[in-house]
Amino acid sequence: MRAKPDEKSEQTTQGLIGQPIWVQGGQGDWLFVQTWDSYRAWVQADHVKMLDGEVAYASAGPVAVIRELFADIFAEPHDRSEVITKATISAELELVRAENGWTEIRLPGGRHGFVRKQDARLVDKDLAQTIWLPDPRKLTETAMRFVGVPYLWGGTSPFGLDCSGFVQLVYHIQGVTLLRDAHMQASDPRAMPLDRADLAAGDLVFFAGKKPEDKRITHVGMMQDREQCIHSCGDFGVIITPLDDPHYQSIYQRAVRMRLDTLDPGGGAPRD
């Protein structure tokens, strides 16, 4: 998804398979849309499946939620079959049936495919679900799965992540919706400011630009413990860095702890 309706425009975020978007306008072959996390951007019209008047894809009934970083979607239920696409962790796909070690799903375009049963967990959205808000240990365990994933500006998947996309994905896998960009996450009214001495696993830390006089929030990471931060940075991708690293000390701005008991536990855009 791009900042302007032009293939050469900056990529600002990504829409992943199965995620809903809401069309708010258009220009030529482009649509101006709002994503599940309330972000707005431009996307090519032929990259989406329009569902005007229909129930949003995978919003009701049984769904398969991808649990691996990557899951192959096969044309037939066997390993030698053609791989027709890939889905990434937390993708929700409409379930047809599960049997003999394979889960049959219906893709957003209508085509059926098969994913290995162990690669997805099955959820029925028509049934009441107990939502366990994540504890710090679960957040840090999830974050560690992405160490080594390359950096990608505007990236939101294991194919490539930017700093805020990484933090958002980690929380989303644990059932919590965060806003998209670092400065949005820093100013979220649901976030409690923290003294640096009170940092703990799962807390978010924010950094400014490379110049000392630049105080704009441009980078975010998540604490692994009281001393180390896991984050996606442009030179290395997802890595772990001591918070007292001289570079990050010089651009450190603030820290927050998300009030998990008050966060939207789902994945839909706020109604307002």
Side-chain angles (χ1 to χ4, degrees):
M1 296 186 174
R2 302 192 180 275
K4 298 178 181 179
D6 186 329
E7 288 186 28
K8 297 180 181 180
S9 177
E10 170 194 13
Q11 175 176 288
T12 58
T13 191
Q14 292 177 309
L16 305 180
I17 189 168
Q19 288 181 347
I21 57 174
W22 289 263
V23 177
Q24 299 188 329
Q27 180 177 315
D29 296 329
W30 292 79
L31 300 173
F32 186 65
V33 301
Q34 176 176 296
T35 59
W36 63 275
D37 54 3
S38 76
Y39 205 76
R40 291 177 174 87
W42 290 89
V43 63
Q44 290 178 274
D46 59 0
H47 289 180
V48 303
K49 169 69 174 176
M50 299 298 290
L51 296 171
D52 187 28
E54 300 181 38
V55 176
Y57 176 82
S59 63
V63 300
V65 182
I66 301 300
R67 58 172 42 155
E68 299 300 321
L69 295 188
F70 305 96
D72 289 330
I73 309 298
F74 294 88
E76 301 292 339
H78 57 83
D79 289 330
R80 295 184 180 180
S81 175
E82 171 195 6
V83 175
I84 57 178
T85 190
K86 290 180 181 287
T88 54
I89 189 167
S90 79
E92 297 184 2
L93 307 170
E94 289 188 354
L95 174 66
V96 178
R97 60 178 172 270
E99 58 186 14
N100 300 324
W102 290 88
T103 297
E104 182 177 359
I105 50 93
R106 186 176 73 86
L107 296 169
R111 184 175 182 178
H112 286 216
F114 297 84
V115 62
R116 297 182 186 93
K117 195 171 182 179
Q118 67 267 24
D119 289 348
R121 61 184 177 89
L122 308 184
V123 175
D124 191 334
K125 290 198 167 183
D126 291 338
L127 301 178
Q129 303 291 326
T130 299
I131 300 173
W132 301 102
L133 291 169
D135 61 35
R137 180 178 59 85
K138 288 293 185 182
L139 287 168
T140 55
E141 286 177 357
T142 299
M144 286 296 294
R145 298 181 66 184
F146 295 95
V147 170
V149 168
Y151 183 88
L152 176 65
W153 182 269
T156 62
S157 85
F159 287 107
L161 291 161
D162 65 17
C163 65
S164 55
F166 165 64
V167 169
Q168 185 191 57
L169 180 57
V170 169
Y171 270 78
H172 182 58
I173 291 168
Q174 292 299 321
V176 175
T177 300
L178 297 185
L179 298 175
R180 177 61 181 90
D181 289 340
H183 70 277
M184 297 176 178
Q185 295 168 358
S187 60
D188 193 316
R190 304 167 297 181
M192 301 184 299
L194 281 180
D195 289 335
R196 188 163 172 172
D198 296 327
L199 283 170
D203 294 336
L204 302 185
V205 284
F206 297 92
F207 306 89
K210 295 181 180 180
K211 298 180 180 180
E213 64 270 19
D214 187 356
K215 303 300 183 182
R216 295 173 300 166
I217 297 295
T218 60
H219 189 64
V220 59
M222 192 188 82
M223 297 303 293
Q224 278 293 97
D225 50 37
R226 296 186 64 181
E227 299 177 350
Q228 304 215 85
C229 166
I230 183 168
H231 59 128
S232 183
C233 69
D235 294 332
F236 304 104
V238 179
I239 59 171
I240 298 174
T241 303
L243 195 59
D244 62 3
D245 176 278
H247 169 67
Y248 288 100
Q249 274 192 322
S250 68
I251 60 174
Y252 176 85
Q253 287 294 302
R254 72 184 77 160
V256 304
R257 179 170 298 156
M258 304 309 291
R259 292 192 309 249
L260 298 185
D261 58 333
T262 65
L263 285 173
D264 167 22
R271 293 183 180 223
D272 59 356

